[in-house]
Structure formats: structure tokens, C-alpha cells
């Protein structure tokens, strides 16, 4: 039987290729994602193995919002060095910076960190192998001197003696003109990483309040292990105030943080690969169902000459095993190539480190396991069906794969499941938050299962109706195509489902994206009255000092900065804003739902209705905030305002903000600007651009540009998702090609008879085109309808996070339906040509 199976595979090379290719598309993404993430993880691990060199123990604040470790703690530890077993202590200061390249533009890091730190001479470093400055350079000794890592200097076109500009990511400091006085080679300095080093005094002033260090590192004297030193330092510090870790723990924590991100990234890649596999499963199932139908006589003959049912089913499963094994091996090879390409792309664009590809056992096992198991599961039902075919019945002419089997039971179950799914989705849509979103997801899974079960029954009336409309202009050819499309509802539904699932996800993502853009538009149109918005590129915060520069521009009536507040309240971290520079009502719409005035008191706070409801903060309540420095401030809620996405979730007065956020840590989300009456908008824009040009990452936008920029970012995100979903759509198209090609083989005798009675080759091709279009549109309709319903429900559940009214992507829906018809024609090109070349007499003779 195995020889028979292998001979059958060799005899149908095209069918073998199409089936293997559908498996390859799924397995290559599984293998590629594992190889890629393993490679990046290994690269980061190698870097972090060299991190914190010479550090035995490191001290950092437990609260991430804290300004750092106080100088008093460092003084106490220094006084106890001998008792504790400390050799050296080094204070580190750090903060976000942006440096200009040789052209005066911001140096692009591709997503890699760009930080400022203190320069530590080799003789003071904890690392016994610390590299000195490169020849020709020296240490910074003045506030306007810096040392730069050599890879960043090369990228920026800077060298020793070059003058450039550095902008701090926060604080009230103006852009600084600096001179590069030294270059340093840093271990692990890869991609776009930028490290700007100032002298210790300047770094302390720039990145802290002068009394705190971001972290304190120390080495141990001979005879004291890092664990022993950690225990001694913990005993010497106040309890539950600082995080004390050994150097090994610091390195492991850094590895874990990266690996956590890589785990999420891998999950996203695997999710899209899973979609491709699900779609591929239906194609493989379709393929093997048609193979069994076309081999009824062959299998019946085997049964007649003594083959048992088990032998027949095992022969089909053996073919599936061979196909899955080939697909897994090829998919692994292509996946390795994809991983290499993705690594090269991310290294060039995102600053990720480079490393040799890690092709390990997990990737090989996953590719082969997925390829073989998915294929054999897909072939199991056809294999069982093949074993049950009675020999005499199978030898009858015209016997086809179970087309006459009743659809009643599966249709009833599918309808009941569909009704239940709709109820669950509606219930989920009435709520807000994680729970309702999960309910919508569960309803979506039920709806997909309902489509699988009830799809064949739905295909008959829907495809029939579509065929009556689309096929009408083509007369008898159109009716023939309609008949062919509805004659085997199981096959039509399974083929269409591949497209249904892909377009369902496209519709869900499109609905979410359109709703996000609608929310942004509503925020600007109904929430802001400002004429210009001064904000950071790529949604980065801007220094608080930008406000002073904007307020000095001629033609500015009001300029209000929305400074960012991060603190703790009610035992959890909260983020809000503080309007600085003027009344917020002068640049935004502030409708008070409960309050005597729309003027925010310096020592008070306003909360939105949404926040009031979720937090229970009402007018007159007192909220206790704890800032980064540990300062505690009791703030009275002075009013509740109507929900405004531009002002969510709450605002505090300026004096409260200054008490909670140190000057060195203050930053702004944006500066809202209104023009004086009669001011030329273009002249004002030019003035604002000139005033903020020195900040490198600050951009000036009018209302339309602000909306367009936000929409552009959403479109970029959607384009990436659509590109990944293209996998499922590609498989769907191949599925239609596969089904039609096999259908042509199955109907060879029928096509031969039609050709014999006068049907032209062009008419044969046209009938195949129309049949494919009907199947594609049927699948597209199901996908779009399900996707928009699910997307609408998800948007409703996301209102808690600021998403507004659901907006359906009508243009996407229209384009999708038209594109599905085009896809139907393209998918039918080769099968139609193959059908048109059928020779009448040979087809009748072979049948």
C-alpha cells in the first residue's frame, strides 16, 4: 500500500506541489519566527553578559518614578566601606538625550536608546578591563564638552573637535552647544545606540536634582563574595526602600526584560502564522477530500482485490505524512531565509544587534511537527471516508465525494452556535474593559465555528443569488458557472472559508483603525480650540523649556503646555497632566459637568467624568498623591469635566505639579497655541518653527496636520498588519487555485462532453472565471460581515481606554468586495486555461 501511495503522489506532481506549498507557507513563518527571536535573544544575552562589568552590587530605588539614590545614602556607605567589604563606589547619572549630526539634524537611532551619562575614567571604573578613550581624545572637563561612543560618532559624521548640539529629553534646560573631546569604544554598542558622556558634575546637574544618583554600583574587596556584600548592604539600608542586586542579577534582569519582549513579539508572529495554518488546513482538507473523490474507483478496486478499510485509510494518511514531511522540511529552509532577511532589516532600521542565526532543535521540531501533524489531521476525515466507500458503489460512474450527504444536522448546530455567538458578542459590546473584550473574542470564535458548520447550507442560497445577478449577463455560461459553484456546497464553503478568515481579520483591524482615526479627529475637532500643536516627533515627550520659547513668538495669544505627571494615588500608579502657562480653557474645550468654575486652582485638580466614575473621585473629595521624590500632596477635586480625549484622564494645578515632579524630570506632551486676532497663520507657523528648531525633535503642526500625522501613524501600523495578513490571503488565493484545478480534473469528462457538443474554449474559460468569482465573493461577504460586527463590538469595549464611537471602514469594505472579484478571476486563470485545453474525445475516453 505504501508503494501505491508513493506512486500516486509521483503521478500527480501538480497536486502534490499545490498541497506542499500551502503547508510551506504556514511552517516557514513558524520556523522563521523561532529562528529570528532565538537569534536576537542570543545577541542580547551576549551583550548583557558584558553589562555591568566589575559590578558586585548595584543599588536602585524600588519606585521607578523616584529621582534616584540620595547622596546621603552614598555618604553612609562610603563611611562604612571597610566594615561592609566595599572596594569602590561609583554613582551613575542618566537621562534621555538627542544629539545632532554633522548636518544639524537629529541623529536617528532607529529605536535604539539615546542616553546621556557621566564619564567615568578607567582608573575609577569598577571594570578592571575598562577601555581608555580612543587615541586623540581626552576626558570632558567643562559643561560644554562630551565624550561620544565611536559607533554613534561614525553614524553622525562627528569626530574629536566637532561641535554639535545636545537636547535633553526633559527638564527646563535649553539646547546645549557642545564639543566632542573624546571617542570611546563601548562593549555592546551596536545598531543605533547613542551614549553621550558629560563630566560627573554636569551629568549630576542635568539628569538629577543634584542630590540623587540613578544608581550606585560597587565592587567588593578580595574575600567578599557579591552575595555576601549584597546581604551586608541590605542590612545597612532602610527596609523596602531600595533594590539591591548582585551584578549577576542585574545582567539576568536585563536579559529577562528583553526576553519578555521577544516572547510577546514571537507570540504575534506565531499568531499570524497560526492564521495561515488554519487557512492552510482547510485547503489541505479540501485537497484530500477531492483526491479521495477522484480516486474512488482506484480505492474501490483495492478493496475488491482484498485491501482492508484500515489499509485504505492508512494509505491516504501515509500520503498526508509524506506531503507534510516535505512541506515541513521546505518550510524550515524558507523560514531560515525569512529569519535572515528579517534580522538584516531590523538591524538596519531598528538598531538591533547582529548575531549568527540560531538554528536550534525548537525551530526544526516545530516546522516538522506542525507540517506533519496539521497535514495528517486535515487528511484524517477524508481517509476515514475513503475506507467506508463500498467497492461496488465506488465503481459506479459518476460517484463523487459525498455530495448527497445531508447537511441538516451540521446546519442546525451551526445556526444555534451562530445565534449564541451573536448574543455573546452583543453582551460583550454593552460592557467596557478586559472582561467584555474577552467575551467578544469568545463570541468571535463561536461565530467562526458556526460559519464552518453552517457554511455549506448558506452557500447554496447566497452563491445561487450571486450567480443569478453576476451570471445573468453571460446567459447559459453564467447559469453553468452558478450550477458548478452550488453543486458541491461542502467544497464551495471550505474553499471560501480560507478567504473568509483572512478578510474577517482585515475587517476587524480596519474597523479598529478607522475608529482610532475617528477618535483622533473627534478629539481635535471637538476637544481643542488651539490653532497649532507643538509636539515631539514619534510621540516623544518634549522638554518643559519649549513653552518659554513658544511664548516669546510674535502673534501668540495663548500657549499652554500639557506637562506629564506620573505619581501614585490610591495605591497604584497614575498618569495625568498639568496645564502650564495659562488657562486650559483658552486652548481646549472644557465643559464642566460639576464645578463652579472652569479655572483650575493651582492647588486643586479637575477629573473627567470617565475618571470620576472609574476612580470614584467626585467634587470635594481629597486625593493623596505621592511623587517621585516621595513627597505627599493632598489635592482637592475642584470639578468634574465632560469627557475630552485631549484632556484625559485628569489635570492638576501648577503648584501641585511642581511639588510632585522635580524640575529635572519635568516634560511636556504638547504645547497648544492660539493666535492673536488678525495674525497671519503662515507667519505664526514660521515663527514657531524658528523658535523650536534648536530642540531637534520638536515639530509644529496645525490642526489638520496633527490629525493627518496621527492617521499616518495608524495607517503605518495597519499596513504592517495587513502585510502579515497577506499570508492568509495568499494561501486563500492558492486554495481557490487548488480547488478549481482539482475540480477541472474531476469534471474532465463533463468538460469533454461540453466541448464535444460545441462549447468554445473561451466559454469554458469564462465559466471557470465566473465560478471562481462567485466563490471568492461569497467568502468575502462572510468575512466582511463577521469582521465588521466583531470590530464594532471590540471598539465598544475599548471605550475605557479612550476609543470613541465605532466607525465602519466603508471604503475598505467596498475595495475588499471588488478586490475579491478580481482575486477570483486571477485565481482562475491557470485552471481555466487548463480546462479550455481539454480534448473532447480524450476526456470522454479517459472517463
Amino acid at each position: 500500500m505504501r508503494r501505491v501511495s508513493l506512486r500516486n503522489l509521483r503521478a500527480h506532481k501538480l497536486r502534490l506541489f499545490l498541497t506542499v506549498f500551502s503547508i510551506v507557507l504556514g511552517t516557514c513563518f513558524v520556523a522563521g519566527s523561532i529562528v529570528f527571536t532565538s537569534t536576537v535573544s542570543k545577541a542580547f544575552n551576549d551583550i548583557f553578559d558584558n553589562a555591568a562589568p566589575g559590578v558586585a552590587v548595584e543599588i536602585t530605588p524600588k519606585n521607578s518614578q523616584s529621582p534616584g539614590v540620595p547622596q546621603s545614602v552614598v555618604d553612609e556607605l562610603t563611611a562604612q566601606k571597610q566594615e561592609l567589604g566595599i572596594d569602590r563606589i561609583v554613582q551613575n547619572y542618566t537621562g534621555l538625550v538627542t544629539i545632532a549630526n554633522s548636518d544639524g539634524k537629529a541623529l536617528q537611532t532607529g529605536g535604539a536608546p539615546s542616553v546621556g551619562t557621566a564619564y567615568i575614567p578607567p582608573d575609577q571604573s569598577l571594570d578592571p578591563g575598562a577601555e581608555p578613550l580612543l587615541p586623540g581624545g581626552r576626558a570632558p572637563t567643562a559643561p560644554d564638552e562630551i565624550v561620544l561612543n565611536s559607533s554613534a560618532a561614525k553614524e553622525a559624521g562627528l569626530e574629536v573637535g566637532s561641535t554639535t548640539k545636545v537636547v535633553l529629553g526633559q527638564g527646563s534646560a535649553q539646547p546645549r552647544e557642545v564639543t566632542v573631546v573624546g571617542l570611546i569604544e563601548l562593549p555592546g554598542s551596536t545598531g543605533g545606540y547613542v551614549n553621550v558622556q558629560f563630566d560627573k558634575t554636569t551629568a549630576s546637574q542635568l539628569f538629577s536634582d543634584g542630590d540623587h544618583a540613578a544608581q550606585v554600583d560597587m565592587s567588593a574587596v578580595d574575600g567578599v563574595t557579591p552575595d555576601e556584600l549584597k546581604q551586608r548592604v541590605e542590612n545597612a539600608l532602610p527596609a523596602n526602600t531600595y533594590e539591591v542586586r548582585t551584578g549577576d542579577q542585574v545582567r539576568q534582569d536585563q536579559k529577562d526584560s528583553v526576553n519578555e519582549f521577544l516572547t510577546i513579539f514571537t507570540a504575534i508572529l506565531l499568531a499570524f502564522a497560526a492564521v495561515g495554518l488554519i487557512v492552510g488546513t482547510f485547503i489541505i482538507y479540501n485537497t484530500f477530500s477531492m483526491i479521495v473523490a477522484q480516486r474512488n474507483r482506484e480505492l474501490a478496486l483495492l478493496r475488491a482485490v482484498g485491501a482492508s478499510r484500515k489499509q485504505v485509510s492508512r494509505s491516504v494518511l501515509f500520503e498526508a505524512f509524506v506531503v507534510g514531511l516535505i512541506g515541513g522540511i521546505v518550510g524550515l529552509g524558507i523560514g531560515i531565509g525569512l529569519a535572515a532577511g528579517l534580522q538584516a532589516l531590523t538591524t538596519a532600521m531598528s538598531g538591533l544587534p547582529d548575531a549568527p542565526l540560531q538554528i536550534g532543535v525548537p525551530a526544526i521540531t516545530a516546522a516538522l511537527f506542525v507540517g506533519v501533524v496539521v497535514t495528517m489531521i486535515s487528511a484524517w476525515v477524508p481517509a476515514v471516508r475513503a475506507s467506508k466507500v463500498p467497492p461496488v458503489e465506488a465503481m459506479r460512474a459518476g460517484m463523487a465525494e459525498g455530495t448527497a450527504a445531508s447537511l441538516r444536522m451540521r446546519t442546525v448546530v451551526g445556526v444555534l452556535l451562530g445565534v449564541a455567538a451573536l448574543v455573546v458578542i452583543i453582551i460583550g459590546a454593552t460592557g467596557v474593559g478586559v472582561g467584555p473584550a474577552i467575551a467578544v473574542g469568545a463570541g468571535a470564535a463561536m461565530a467562526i465555528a458556526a460559519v464552518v458548520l453552517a457554511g455549506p447550507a448558506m452557500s447554496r442560497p447566497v452563491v445561487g443569488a450571486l450567480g443569478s445577478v453576476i451570471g445573468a449577463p453571460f446567459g447559459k455560461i453564467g447559469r453553468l458557472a452558478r450550477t458548478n459553484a452550488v453543486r458541491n456546497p461542502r467544497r464551495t464553503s471550505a474553499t471560501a472559508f480560507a478567504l473568509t478568515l483572512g478578510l474577517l481579520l482585515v475587517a476587524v483591524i480596519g474597523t479598529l483603525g478607522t475608529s482610532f482615526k475617528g477618535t483622533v479627529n473627534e478629539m481635535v475637532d471637538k476637544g481643542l480650540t488651539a490653532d497649532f500643536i507643538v509636539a515631539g516627533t514619534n510621540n516623544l515627550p518634549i522638554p518643559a523649556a519649549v513653552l518659554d520659547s513658544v511664548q516669546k513668538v510674535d502673534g501668540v495669544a495663548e500657549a499652554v503646555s500639557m506637562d506629564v505627571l506620573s505619581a501614585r494615588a490610591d495605591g497604584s500608579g497614575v498618569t495625568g497632566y498639568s496645564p502650564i502657562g495659562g488657562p486650559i480653557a483658552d486652548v481646549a474645550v472644557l465643559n464642566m459637568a460639576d464645578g463652579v468654575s472652569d479655572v483650575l486652582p493651582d492647588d486643586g485638580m479637575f477629573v473627567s467624568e470617565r475618571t470620576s466614575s472609574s476612580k470614584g473621585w467626585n467634587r470635594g473629595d481629597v486625593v493623596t498623591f505621592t511623587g517621585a521624590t516621595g513627597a505627599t500632596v493632598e489635592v482637592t477635586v475642584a470639578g468634574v469635566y465632560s469627557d475630552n480625549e485631549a484632556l484625559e484622564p485628569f489635570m492638576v494645578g501648577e503648584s501641585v505639579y511642581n511639588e510632585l515632579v522635580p524640575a529635572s524630570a519635568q516634560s511636556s506632551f504638547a504645547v497648544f497655541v492660539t493666535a492673536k486676532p488678525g495674525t497671519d497663520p503662515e507667519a505664526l507657523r514660521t515663527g514657531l518653527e524658528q523658535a523650536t528648531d534648536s530642540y531637534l525633535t520638536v515639530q509644529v503642526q496645525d490642526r489638520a496636520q496633527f490629525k493627518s500625522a496621527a492617521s499616518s501613524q495608524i495607517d503605518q501600523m495597519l499596513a504592517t498588519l495587513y502585510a502579515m495578513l497577506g499570508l492568509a490571503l495568499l494561501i486563500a488565493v492558492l486554495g481557490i487555485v487548488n480547488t478549481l484545478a482539482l475540480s477541472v480534473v474531476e469534471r474532465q469528462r463533463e468538460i469533454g462532453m461540453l466541448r464535444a457538443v460545441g462549447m468554445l474554449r473561451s466559454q469554458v474559460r469564462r465559466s471557470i472565471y465566473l465560478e471562481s468569482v462567485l466563490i471568492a465573493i461569497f467568502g468575502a461577504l462572510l468575512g466582511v460581515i463577521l469582521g465588521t460586527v466583531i470590530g464594532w463590538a471590540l471598539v465598544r469595549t475599548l471605550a475605557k481606554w479612550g476609543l470613541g464611537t465605532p466607525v465602519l471602514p466603508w471604503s475598505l469594505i467596498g475595495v475588499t468586495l471588488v478586490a475579491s472579484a478580481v482575486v477570483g478571476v486571477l485565481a482562475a486563470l491557470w485552471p481555466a486555461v487548463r480546462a479550455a485545453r481539454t480534448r473532447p474525445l480524450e476526456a470522454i475516453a479517459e472517463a
Side-chain angles (χ1 to χ4, degrees):
M1 294 299 293
R2 287 178 181 156
R3 287 196 298 270
V4 172
S5 298
L6 292 174
R7 189 178 300 114
N8 182 68
L9 289 174
R10 287 194 297 269
H12 300 88
K13 295 182 178 61
L14 178 62
R15 185 170 64 197
L16 173 65
F17 170 78
L18 291 172
T19 308
V20 167
F21 192 62
S22 65
I23 301 169
V24 167
L25 287 173
T27 55
C28 72
F29 272 78
V30 174
S33 61
I34 294 175
V35 171
F36 172 71
T37 52
S38 297
T39 301
V40 176
S41 179
K42 179 65 164 58
F44 275 112
N45 287 341
D46 289 344
I47 291 173
F48 292 139
D49 284 340
N50 296 319
V55 175
V57 171
E58 180 177 280
I59 306 173
T60 54
K62 277 187 176 293
N63 181 4
S64 61
Q65 301 297 328
S66 170
V69 180
Q71 181 63 44
S72 59
V73 170
V74 179
D75 294 339
E76 291 177 13
L77 292 175
T78 302
Q80 302 178 59
K81 284 178 60 176
Q82 187 172 359
E83 300 172 24
L84 297 176
I86 299 173
D87 181 24
R88 288 183 178 178
I89 296 180
V90 173
Q91 297 164 266
N92 290 310
Y93 306 91
T94 184
L96 298 177
V97 299
T98 301
I99 188 170
N101 59 22
S102 57
D103 296 328
K105 305 296 182 182
L107 176 61
Q108 301 300 317
T109 67
S114 179
V115 297
T117 60
Y119 171 74
I120 301 175
D123 60 343
Q124 299 177 21
S125 173
L126 302 183
D127 181 12
E131 294 288 339
L133 294 175
L134 295 179
R138 62 174 177 82
T141 57
D144 61 349
E145 296 179 346
I146 64 169
V147 165
L148 189 61
N149 63 308
S150 57
S151 59
K154 181 179 180 181
E155 183 70 23
L158 302 175
E159 56 187 17
V160 174
S162 298
T163 58
T164 186
K165 187 184 300 179
V166 173
V167 177
L168 305 185
Q170 53 196 23
S172 57
Q174 298 289 331
R176 304 174 69 86
E177 297 287 343
V178 296
T179 301
V180 179
V181 296
L183 300 178
I184 188 170
E185 193 77 39
L186 297 178
S189 178
T190 59
Y193 176 72
V194 177
N195 182 209
V196 180
Q197 300 182 2
F198 297 87
D199 69 90
K200 183 178 179 181
T201 301
T202 303
S204 171
Q205 294 171 348
L206 295 178
F207 305 126
S208 77
D209 55 5
D211 294 326
H212 294 79
Q215 63 193 47
V216 177
D217 294 330
M218 59 194 73
S219 59
V221 298
D222 293 339
V224 177
T225 67
D227 289 328
E228 291 174 341
L229 181 57
K230 173 189 173 184
Q231 187 63 49
R232 295 176 186 181
V233 171
E234 283 181 334
N235 294 334
L237 295 175
N240 298 322
T241 305
Y242 302 103
E243 186 79 27
V244 182
R245 299 174 293 171
T246 65
D248 287 341
Q249 289 176 325
V250 171
R251 288 183 281 273
Q252 188 59 49
D253 288 345
Q254 291 177 338
K255 291 180 183 179
D256 291 343
S257 64
V258 171
N259 288 333
E260 182 178 355
F261 162 75
L262 292 177
T263 299
I264 297 173
F265 186 67
T266 302
I268 294 173
L269 290 178
L270 291 178
F272 282 97
V275 172
L277 280 175
I278 292 173
V279 174
T281 299
F282 276 84
I283 294 173
I284 298 166
Y285 170 80
N286 236 8
T287 300
F288 277 92
S289 294
M290 298 180 74
I291 290 173
V292 171
Q294 293 169 17
R295 294 173 56 198
N296 272 330
R297 291 185 178 182
E298 174 191 333
L299 298 176
L301 182 60
L302 291 173
R303 290 287 311 282
V305 297
S308 65
R309 287 186 174 182
K310 288 185 178 180
Q311 286 177 315
V312 171
S313 62
R314 286 173 182 171
S315 70
V316 177
L317 287 175
F318 179 70
E319 290 183 25
F321 171 79
V322 173
V323 171
L325 185 62
I326 295 172
I329 294 173
V330 176
L332 174 63
I334 296 178
I336 294 172
L338 287 175
L342 188 58
Q343 182 196 25
L345 180 65
T346 53
T347 300
M349 298 183 60
S350 303
L352 289 178
D354 197 4
L357 288 177
Q358 300 298 305
I359 306 169
V361 174
I364 298 173
T365 303
L368 296 180
F369 178 82
V370 169
V372 172
V373 171
V374 168
T375 304
M376 294 192 69
I377 291 175
S378 302
W380 179 73
V381 173
V384 172
R385 184 181 297 128
S387 68
K388 293 181 179 180
V389 176
V392 175
E393 181 181 352
M395 290 182 185
R396 291 165 45 199
M399 168 63 190
E401 178 255 332
T403 58
S406 174
L407 299 173
R408 180 177 302 172
M409 181 55 66
R410 65 180 289 170
T411 302
V412 170
V413 175
V415 170
L416 293 176
L417 192 59
V419 172
L422 184 60
V423 171
V424 172
I425 290 174
I426 292 175
I427 292 174
T430 58
V432 175
V434 176
I438 293 175
V440 172
M446 294 168 61
I448 293 172
V451 168
V452 173
L453 293 172
M458 286 190 295
S459 70
R460 281 176 170 166
V462 176
V463 175
L466 288 172
S468 299
V469 176
I470 297 176
F474 300 93
K476 293 181 179 179
I477 299 300
R479 290 196 294 273
L480 178 62
R482 175 180 175 275
T483 301
N484 287 334
V486 300
R487 69 197 294 182
N488 193 327
R490 283 185 174 84
R491 182 189 305 161
T492 297
S493 177
T495 305
F497 180 78
L499 199 58
T500 295
L501 187 58
L503 292 182
L504 180 150
L505 295 175
V506 168
V508 169
I509 294 172
T511 301
L512 290 172
T514 305
S515 299
F516 271 115
K517 289 191 282 188
T519 300
V520 172
N521 292 340
E522 184 177 359
M523 177 190 76
V524 176
D525 294 335
K526 298 183 180 180
L528 294 178
T529 58
D531 299 305
F532 291 96
I533 298 95
V534 180
T537 56
N538 300 321
N539 294 321
L540 293 173
I542 59 177
V546 172
L547 176 63
D548 294 333
S549 300
V550 169
Q551 288 178 326
K552 297 175 183 178
V553 176
D554 290 338
V556 172
E558 293 290 346
V560 180
S561 172
M562 290 294 283
D563 283 21
V564 182
L565 167 69
S566 293
R568 296 186 66 82
D570 294 341
S572 61
V574 295
T575 299
Y577 298 97
S578 178
I580 307 295
I584 188 62
D586 289 348
V587 294
V589 177
L590 186 65
N591 294 323
M592 301 303 297
D594 184 13
V596 297
S597 172
D598 63 359
V599 178
L600 177 61
D602 276 355
D603 59 353
M605 66 182 294
F606 285 163
V607 301
S608 69
E609 289 182 308
R610 186 185 304 153
T611 303
S612 176
S613 175
S614 62
K615 293 285 190 181
W617 295 347
N618 300 307
R619 186 163 72 96
D621 291 347
V622 176
V623 180
T624 301
F625 287 95
T626 302
T629 61
T632 299
V633 181
E634 294 185 345
V635 186
T636 301
V637 178
V640 178
Y641 55 89
S642 300
D643 290 337
N644 181 340
E645 299 304 332
L647 307 177
E648 290 289 340
F650 64 87
M651 299 179 290
V652 300
E654 186 170 352
S655 64
V656 175
Y657 178 74
N658 289 331
E659 285 188 66
L660 293 173
V661 183
S664 61
Q666 292 180 359
S667 63
S668 173
F669 159 69
V671 177
F672 300 139
V673 180
T674 57
K676 292 180 179 178
T679 300
D680 179 27
E682 289 305 316
L684 179 56
R685 177 199 294 277
T686 300
L688 292 172
E689 290 174 344
Q690 292 174 347
T692 59
D693 182 63
S694 60
Y695 289 95
L696 300 179
T697 59
V698 173
Q699 59 184 350
V700 179
Q701 297 173 318
D702 59 26
R703 298 163 62 87
Q705 290 172 326
F706 185 77
K707 291 190 292 185
S708 177
S711 296
S712 176
Q713 292 178 359
I714 295 172
D715 288 337
Q716 290 177 6
M717 177 187 67
L718 294 181
T720 302
L721 295 176
Y722 289 150
M724 298 183 74
L725 281 175
L727 165 69
L729 298 177
L730 175 60
I731 298 175
V733 173
L734 291 173
I736 297 175
V737 174
N738 198 0
T739 300
L740 290 175
L742 292 170
S743 178
V744 167
V745 175
E746 184 181 277
R747 303 200 306 257
Q748 192 170 16
R749 183 173 184 272
E750 172 190 319
I751 295 172
M753 292 183 66
L754 290 172
R755 291 277 288 118
V757 297
M759 192 174 190
L760 302 176
R761 288 186 175 182
S762 60
Q763 292 175 319
V764 174
R765 289 195 297 268
R766 199 173 303 133
S767 68
I768 301 296
Y769 294 153
L770 290 173
E771 181 182 350
S772 178
V773 167
L774 292 176
I775 294 174
I777 294 180
F778 170 64
L781 281 173
L782 287 181
V784 168
I785 292 172
L786 280 178
T788 50
V789 170
I790 295 169
W792 171 85
L794 280 177
V795 172
R796 293 288 299 270
T797 66
L798 296 176
K800 178 180 180 180
W801 292 278
L803 201 56
T805 305
V807 180
L808 297 182
W810 294 112
S811 59
L812 177 65
I813 291 173
V815 170
T816 297
L817 294 177
V818 173
S820 64
V822 175
V823 164
V825 174
L826 294 177
L829 287 176
W830 179 76
V833 171
R834 181 182 175 87
R837 290 176 178 175
T838 301
R839 295 182 178 181
L841 295 180
E842 289 181 7
I844 296 172
E846 289 177 5

